Amino acid sequence: SLVTTVVGGVLCGLAVAAGLLLVAGRSDDHLVEITLTMLAAYGSFLFAERIGVSGVLATLAAGMLVGNWGRGREITEHGSESMIRFWDFAAFLANSIVFLLIGTREASQPIVTYLVPAAIATVLVLAGRAVAIYPITRLFSRTALATDMLTRHILFWGGLRGALALALAMAAPTSLPEHDALIGVAFAVVAFSIFVQGLTVPGLLRRTRTAGSEQS
């Protein structure tokens, strides 16, 4: 079932996006091109959900195909620039709405009761990020893609969480056990990511620039 859901979602997204890109190639109107990218994103999600596969992975696959193959080929240069501006605004708007929704919800929740599970979840998220970064970057240590240790630290500490994690938590069915605790913990993890990691990443970046200038 997991394989079917994942593979089916990816194939569904690629199929929907490929079909709409073929249509986009027949027009040089940037408004038409933006509209088709919207249809690729939301259409792939709705179609995947209807046939019982992952709508999130379908949208992800559709976006990757449009962004990597469609731009400069089926979508004109002017359309690509307009598309990026549009989706930047759409992402900003979606993030703002999700944070407003979660903020109004958490204002009435006893957040103190979730401190222990929130702390455990934060540590586990950081541990998962470390496992994903350090061993993988070490595999490329003898190639042209090698990175120094400070860059690895930035990749680890810069893995910020945001609206997607909150949206997934809020989308969980209310019948799920500990539903409110799940949302509270997700909010705490995202808050730690933004206020602790987000505010300290610039310091690491400054250290990287300083180290680079000294080496040069």
Side-chain angles (χ1 to χ4, degrees):
S1 177
L2 176 63
V3 173
T4 302
T5 301
V6 172
V7 176
V10 172
L11 293 178
C12 177
L14 293 176
V16 172
L20 290 173
L21 283 176
L22 292 177
V23 177
R26 299 177 178 272
S27 173
D28 57 358
D29 189 330
H30 67 284
L31 295 177
V32 173
E33 293 171 329
I34 292 175
T35 303
L36 290 173
T37 62
M38 288 185 62
L39 291 175
Y42 294 103
S44 60
F45 180 87
L46 294 175
F47 181 62
E49 290 291 313
R50 171 60 69 88
I51 63 177
V53 296
S54 175
V56 174
L57 290 178
T59 303
L60 176 64
M64 293 182 67
L65 184 63
V66 171
N68 290 281
W69 183 66
R71 290 175 57 190
R73 293 182 177 87
E74 303 300 331
I75 299 178
T76 63
E77 182 178 351
H78 180 53
S80 298
E81 295 175 356
S82 302
M83 177 183 68
I84 292 174
R85 294 193 187 98
F86 169 79
W87 284 108
D88 279 343
F89 173 73
F92 169 78
L93 185 63
N95 274 283
S96 300
I97 292 174
V98 170
F99 274 100
L100 285 173
L101 289 174
I102 198 70
T104 54
R105 179 185 178 88
E106 291 303 313
S108 60
Q109 296 292 325
I111 190 65
V112 178
T113 60
Y114 305 140
L115 287 181
V116 174
I120 295 174
T122 302
V123 171
L124 291 176
V125 166
L126 292 175
R129 180 72 178 180
V131 171
I133 295 298
Y134 291 107
I136 294 177
T137 53
R138 189 174 180 82
L139 293 175
F140 296 92
S141 59
R142 298 183 181 274
T143 68
L145 300 176
T147 56
D148 55 37
M149 188 56 67
L150 186 56
T151 302
R152 297 175 192 178
H153 294 336
I154 293 173
L155 291 172
F156 160 67
W157 196 245
L160 306 183
R161 276 80 190 172
L164 180 59
L166 296 177
L168 290 173
M170 294 180 66
T174 55
S175 59
L176 186 71
E178 305 294 341
H179 176 267
D180 292 339
L182 174 65
I183 297 178
V185 168
F187 178 78
V189 171
V190 171
F192 177 87
S193 171
I194 294 174
F195 292 110
V196 178
Q197 293 177 256
L199 294 177
T200 53
V201 163
L204 285 175
L205 295 175
R206 285 192 293 270
R207 288 186 59 185
T208 302
R209 287 194 294 267
T210 302
S213 61
E214 290 177 351
Q215 293 176 359
S216 61

